[in-house]
Amino acid sequence: AQSVSQHNHHVILSEAASLELGCNYSYGGTVNLFWYVQYPGQHLQLLLKYFSGDPLVKGIKGFEAEFIKSKFSFNLRKPSVQWSDTAEYFCAVKSIGAAGNKLTFGGGTRVLVKP
Amino acid sequence: GAGVSQSPRYKVAKRGQDVALRCDPISGHVSLFWYQQALGQGPEFLTYFQNEAQLDKSGLPSDRFFAERPEGSVSTLKIQRTQQEDSAVYLCASSLDSGSTYEQYFGPGTRLTVT
């Protein structure tokens, strides 16, 4: 069975600092990769996704993520965070060919950006 | 354009009671997913529908959990004889089709507390 691990449960940083959140998955086959974000009081929203092609993908709000197949990783980055980036971030994997294309999520990382 | 809606948003049940949670997917979306999110964890897959057919129920934790989507639109997740360990946020997601490249759109969730 596939699994997803996120290295940090909580991250606290100041505005303008750079952010990197780690995500590793275990699955030997072809996968689609996602980062979802949940802002306080809101529902899960897609931040970015990787299906194929360029392993460096850009999402909304200045976020990007890099897929490194050899490391089974899909780390999320943002060069300069804002207070409004305070949220919980979830990495998710979808294994291609699995019935229904269900998502397997990591445990999430709570990010607090101090003004 | 309305997103995925869920009702009720909050439900308190006494142990042993039955509960029913409703999900209204985005109009025209073929696929519908239910996830369970325990406190401090990422969402975990429960079950998947393609139209009215329940194609994967491998994530349902026990036979007390039952889901249906009789007309291929609205879905109901029913939990019989609720237990304290059922306390969680139940998330519904829908996608336009079942292919792997289709994004899942999440609803706000129903927070179930079993006392």
Side-chain angles (χ1 to χ4, degrees), chain A residues 32-39 42-51 57-63 65 74 76 88-94 103 105, chain B residues 93-95 100-107:
Chain A
N32 288 342
L33 299 157
F34 306 82
W35 276 96
Y36 280 84
V37 60
Q38 189 166 26
Y39 298 104
Q42 298 187 27
H43 56 272
L44 278 168
Q45 302 171 42
L46 184 66
L47 201 53
L48 49 77
K49 59 190 176 186
Y50 171 79
F51 290 154
V57 291
K58 296 190 183 299
I60 59 172
K61 303 186 181 185
F63 285 90
F74 190 55
L76 181 71
E88 189 160 17
Y89 294 81
F90 294 93
C91 180
V93 171
K94 182 190 292 184
L103 292 170
F105 285 86
Chain B
S94 70
S95 67
S100 62
T101 58
Y102 288 96
E103 177 184 343
Q104 291 183 28
Y105 295 84
F106 282 82

Side-chain angles (χ1 to χ4, degrees), chain A residues 8-21 81-83 85-87 89 109-115:
Chain A
N8 308 97
H9 295 293
H10 295 90
V11 172
I12 302 173
L13 59 168
S14 300
E15 276 192 314
S18 63
L19 173 70
E20 179 159 1
L21 303 182
V81 295
Q82 300 173 317
W83 174 79
D85 293 323
T86 293
Y89 294 81
T109 300
R110 287 186 182 270
V111 174
L112 173 62
V113 179
K114 298 185 293 184

Side-chain angles (χ1 to χ4, degrees), chain B residues 11-28:
Chain B
K11 177 69 178 177
V12 179
K14 292 186 176 172
R15 191 170 52 186
Q17 284 184 331
D18 298 348
V19 297
L21 312 179
R22 176 187 169 106
C23 171
D24 281 86
I26 295 172
S27 177

